[in-house]
Amino acid sequence: MIPGFGLTMGLTLLWLSLIVLIPLAGLFFKTAELTPDRIWTILTATRTLNALKISFGLSLIAASINLVLGAVVVWALVRYDFPGRRLLDALVDIPFALPTAVAGIALTTLYAENGWLGSLLAPLGVKVSFTPLGILVALIFIGLPFVVRTVQPVLEDFDHELEEAAATLGASRWTTIRKVVLPTVLPAFLTGFALAFARAVGEYGSVIFIAGNLPNVSEIAPLLIVIRLEEFRYADATTIAATMLVASFALLFVINGLQRWSQARTGRAS
């Protein structure tokens, strides 16, 4: 046993309880004060259902897009040496460092009808700012680094001799990627997808500026929770929050199961 294990474990559990466990328990205890009929009435309200659909639906779409875009970006960063590579690698971390409100304002300005990008899309009939499409753009922006930074170290540590052996045995480039490279990086991709999705579901600051926040059209669930709190409807707020938490945990549990299945299938431990 490492000296000081009891003290460090105690401090860890105390810190975790104060920051995570106690607030989550309070959320569920507050919701448990309501009757099942009251909870059902809150969750089946049209505005609540539409807000949850927008948050979870667009988060899934954004995480899926980031899975593809992240694969392209990380492959370029790891496998190719080109001018500006280090700059591109640094730009990937911008959503981590940029305050969410600043990101939201910048995206809104860019994609507004008179913005640099919005003015190019407007003649095509594409409106981004103040629409659900704007929410999707913001969620893609904040979620991409999670996929790239999760997969990048795995791909960098990949043994190139395995690819050379596959090529020597006559495998095509696509077969090598599908049979050799992909099984190795698949758990990392699933982890990056889960992280991007979890971040997108709870995103608030960068979305409210570009969404338009129209009820039943472009209103996200976190914003509806804030609105209910401002209206002193605490039961509604905690019920929506608890539902989002349970749904997120369920989806993350499924993704974690897929990750473990992939690791077991390829013979790699966690």
Side-chain angles (χ1 to χ4, degrees):
M1 185 67 68
I2 299 176
F5 173 78
L7 177 61
T8 54
M9 178 58 71
L11 291 175
T12 300
L13 293 177
L14 175 63
W15 186 253
L16 182 64
S17 298
L18 292 175
I19 301 299
V20 180
L21 299 181
I22 293 178
L24 292 183
L27 178 67
F28 284 107
F29 282 140
K30 182 65 177 179
T31 305
E33 295 176 359
L34 304 176
T35 63
D37 291 339
R38 176 58 178 161
I39 293 176
W40 180 255
T41 300
I42 294 173
L43 294 180
T44 55
T46 302
R47 188 173 180 180
T48 302
L49 288 176
N50 287 330
L52 291 173
K53 289 178 182 178
I54 290 173
S55 289
F56 282 98
L58 291 181
S59 295
L60 280 174
I61 295 174
S64 301
I65 294 175
N66 279 329
L67 199 61
V68 178
L69 294 180
V72 175
V73 172
V74 75
W75 187 267
L77 290 176
V78 174
R79 292 304 182 95
Y80 302 107
D81 190 10
F82 53 90
R85 176 176 171 274
R86 292 187 178 180
L87 177 61
L88 178 60
D89 190 41
L91 290 176
V92 171
D93 291 328
I94 284 183
F96 285 149
L98 199 64
T100 55
V102 175
I105 294 173
L107 291 173
T108 304
T109 303
L110 283 174
Y111 286 100
E113 292 188 358
N114 59 347
W116 289 353
L117 299 178
S119 60
L120 300 177
L121 297 174
L124 303 176
V126 179
K127 184 178 180 181
V128 178
S129 291
F130 315 120
T131 67
L133 181 58
I135 300 176
L136 181 62
V137 170
L139 297 183
I140 292 173
F141 174 78
I142 57 98
L144 181 62
F146 289 93
V147 177
V148 174
R149 293 309 182 213
T150 303
V151 179
Q152 187 174 4
V154 178
L155 192 59
E156 287 176 343
D157 293 338
F158 182 77
D159 190 356
H160 295 281
E161 292 182 357
L162 296 176
E163 294 182 67
E164 296 173 358
T168 302
L169 294 174
S172 65
R173 188 60 177 166
W174 169 244
T175 302
T176 302
I177 293 176
R178 184 166 54 90
K179 295 289 188 178
V180 179
V181 179
L182 185 58
T184 301
V185 299
L186 182 58
F189 271 119
L190 292 176
T191 302
F193 176 88
L195 292 174
F197 170 79
R199 170 66 190 274
V201 167
E203 182 60 19
Y204 179 79
S206 63
V207 173
I208 58 173
F209 292 98
I210 197 172
N213 306 322
L214 296 177
N216 302 316
V217 177
S218 59
E219 183 180 59
I220 58 175
L223 176 61
L224 182 58
I225 293 173
V226 173
I227 292 175
R228 293 297 184 241
L229 290 174
E230 292 176 345
E231 296 172 345
F232 302 102
R233 297 169 61 177
Y234 301 119
D236 293 43
T238 56
T239 301
I240 298 171
T243 302
M244 291 185 65
L245 185 61
V246 170
S248 297
F249 275 147
L251 187 58
L252 291 176
F253 179 79
V254 172
I255 294 174
N256 184 262
L258 290 174
Q259 181 181 359
R260 290 183 178 276
W261 171 82
S262 176
Q263 291 172 339
R265 184 171 175 268
T266 56
R268 294 177 176 84
S270 301

